[in-house]
Amino acid sequence: MTPGKTFSLIIGKSAGAKSGYVRVVSTAPSLLANPLVTVDADPRRWLDHTLFDITQDRIKEFTVKPAGGPGYTASRANKDTSDFAVSDIPKGRKLSSPAAADPIAGSLGSVSIDDVQKAQATPATGVAHTVFKTFDGLTLDVAGHKEGTRTMVSFTPTSTDQATEAEAKTLAARLNGWEFEIPSYKYDGMFRPLEELLEKLPEKGDKKKPAAGPALPPDLPPGLISPGPGK
């Protein structure tokens, strides 16, 4: 036993259900170790995939700045107000429903990751931002971009209230300096364009056609067809 000292091991084949071979790095002999040591070869499987859970009932306001298109802000006066009011709606347009923006407020709930990497030294292009604010003073700035099919985000937590100061520090220690790959549906939920919240515009040339008259039975004898009034 060597308390306080660590060793780097190369994990070899198993010798049964309860033991396997290992070798200390930079040494020649292999050792039979008990209990069996197993390590998944894919580092992504070593991750704690649950990142954080900030529930929708805590969210007071969020401001979305998509990578393209206009930005907007949605807010509510208190927790008893279920739906978020959206500002900056274009003239002549309206929300598809009073709850159109609500799912964005819920996008911070049960956030899980598929992969993680060090934050890039050079900022990515086409970055979207959403800044969430809670009723108890926590602010979470979410920046997102796409790398091929991967949807990457980074988080910057801060607090303006003593009630959430410790939470912000805990989140910062876990999140700062890293970029996380999250599921695409979660990414899309955080950065929804304003157009997706609005009622669809009628398509050009979409005019109502006059209602067709009743269809005549096929092969109707000519003598049974009325010429109509005034004929």
Side-chain angles (χ1 to χ4, degrees), residues 30-228:
S30 293
L31 307 172
L32 184 61
N34 188 330
L36 177 65
V37 180
T38 58
V39 178
D40 197 304
D42 187 351
R44 288 180 298 181
R45 297 186 182 275
W46 307 347
L47 298 173
D48 177 0
H49 289 271
T50 302
L51 200 58
F52 58 76
D53 181 20
I54 299 175
T55 55
Q56 180 173 331
D57 64 290
R58 295 181 60 188
I59 304 299
K60 177 183 180 181
E61 175 185 300
F62 53 87
T63 299
V64 182
K65 296 179 180 178
Y72 59 94
T73 296
S75 61
R76 56 180 177 164
N78 52 62
K79 290 185 176 182
D80 295 328
T81 303
S82 58
D83 297 330
F84 287 77
V86 179
S87 64
D88 308 312
I89 296 178
K91 188 176 180 179
R93 303 293 301 277
K94 61 180 181 179
L95 295 176
S96 59
S97 76
D102 296 0
I104 303 171
S107 64
L108 296 183
S110 301
V111 175
S112 61
I113 62 173
D114 297 326
D115 204 353
V116 61
Q117 64 188 27
K118 281 285 188 180
Q120 301 179 28
T122 304
T125 57
V127 176
H129 274 274
T130 301
V131 179
F132 296 88
K133 296 182 179 180
T134 68
F135 285 101
D136 49 8
L138 179 68
T139 297
L140 193 64
D141 187 332
V142 187
H145 68 279
K146 296 184 178 181
E147 295 180 1
T149 59
R150 305 173 76 203
T151 45
M152 309 298 297
V153 292
S154 60
F155 303 93
T156 305
T158 55
S159 174
T160 58
D161 193 303
Q162 190 174 0
T164 51
E165 186 176 332
E167 181 183 12
K169 288 181 178 179
T170 300
L171 287 171
R174 184 173 177 81
L175 305 174
N176 287 359
W178 298 95
E179 288 183 345
F180 304 91
E181 181 183 357
I182 62 174
S184 58
Y185 80 89
K186 202 69 163 174
Y187 181 96
D188 293 340
M190 293 177 180
F191 306 108
R192 286 188 69 189
L194 178 59
E195 187 64 33
E196 291 187 8
L197 308 184
L198 305 178
E199 276 191 351
K200 299 293 184 184
L201 289 171
E203 295 183 8
K204 292 182 179 179
D206 184 16
K207 297 180 179 179
K208 290 185 177 179
K209 297 180 180 180
L216 294 175
D219 303 323
L220 187 69
L224 295 180
I225 300 176
S226 170

